[in-house]
Amino acid sequence: MILKNNTAQQATGFKLTAKKLNFLSAVCSLLLIALLFPSCYSFKDVSIAPDIKTVKVNYIENKARLVNPQLSQKLTDKVRQKIVGQTRLSQTNSDEADYDLSGYISDYSVSTSGISTGSDGRGQASINRLNVTVHLIFKNRKDETKNFETDLTRNIDFPATQSLAQAESGITDELVKNLADEIFNRIFSNW
């Protein structure tokens, strides 16, 4: 009987150990996947048709009612850097480029995003939201069926205690990065 009891304990202990091993194996697998695929938006190996060699990124004008004087140049530069840095395409100023990218900032506005109750019991803005929309025009000279125009919008919240000018100094770089990523993804992804 003692032998049976020890065998039963060992068998039970083994089952628990097997469950633990399965759990640890699953956790390790998930961690490995997370390390290998850190972002759904990573396009380091962009698939581009072999006959596509050049891209022209035109200056992205600011046609919004409210203008951030740095935004157009920073956004244009960031999009150019991202395309040249993450694809095999060469930047050109030729009107014969295989891909032609142009567009303009159509909206740059602030709205209230959060309201809190003030000491007088009345509601007041606690969070403001900067809304930026870029109208993107993409031309594929090798396959005109892939031409498109679309609006891409990004929003960034900032404390209502800051003026727009104060907030811009801290959020413009993040805004530019997010818009450039979205433009890049819209051009080079098939979804």
Side-chain angles (χ1 to χ4, degrees), residues 25-92:
S25 177
V27 169
C28 288
S29 295
L30 288 173
L31 287 173
L32 182 62
I33 289 170
L35 290 173
L36 292 175
F37 304 103
S39 172
C40 295
Y41 298 102
S42 178
F43 288 98
K44 296 197 186 286
D45 295 309
V46 174
S47 177
I48 301 171
D51 61 333
I52 304 294
K53 307 270 188 228
T54 58
V55 62
K56 179 180 181 183
V57 179
N58 296 288
Y59 183 74
I60 300 170
E61 289 184 68
N62 197 334
K63 295 183 178 181
R65 193 171 43 90
L66 186 60
V67 174
N68 174 334
Q70 299 176 345
L71 187 59
S72 288
Q73 188 63 52
K74 284 186 171 189
L75 181 58
T76 303
D77 291 344
K78 190 70 167 181
V79 170
R80 285 179 180 152
Q81 290 169 2
K82 188 161 184 73
I83 291 173
V84 170
Q86 294 189 12
T87 70
R88 59 173 172 71
L89 299 179
S90 298
Q91 168 68 34
T92 183

Side-chain angles (χ1 to χ4, degrees), residues 49 99 138-140 143-149 186 190:
Y99 285 174
F138 176 76
K139 294 179 184 171
N140 181 334
D143 184 357
E144 291 186 9
T145 64
K146 296 192 177 175
N147 293 352
F148 66 85
E149 285 190 46
R186 180 62 179 94
N190 293 323

Side-chain angles (χ1 to χ4, degrees), residues 24 46 96 99 108 111 113 144 161 166 169 172 182 186:
L24 288 174
V46 174
E96 300 303 315
Y99 285 174
Y108 190 87
S111 60
S113 170
E144 291 186 9
T161 56
Q166 290 170 324
S169 66
T172 298
E182 189 156 345
R186 180 62 179 94

Side-chain angles (χ1 to χ4, degrees), residues 123-187:
Q124 61 189 78
S126 61
I127 299 174
N128 285 335
R129 176 169 289 160
L130 176 61
N131 309 294
V132 182
T133 301
V134 175
H135 184 78
L136 180 65
I137 304 163
F138 176 76
K139 294 179 184 171
N140 181 334
R141 289 206 170 76
K142 302 283 186 175
D143 184 357
E144 291 186 9
T145 64
K146 296 192 177 175
N147 293 352
F148 66 85
E149 285 190 46
T150 190
D151 289 321
L152 305 171
T153 301
R154 281 293 184 188
N155 307 307
I156 295 186
D157 292 342
F158 63 94
T161 56
Q162 293 182 335
S163 68
L164 177 59
Q166 290 170 324
E168 283 174 328
S169 66
I171 62 177
T172 298
D173 288 342
E174 180 184 352
L175 179 65
V176 166
K177 180 194 176 309
N178 291 344
L179 283 167
D181 287 348
E182 189 156 345
I183 290 168
F184 183 88
N185 291 343
R186 180 62 179 94
I187 294 168

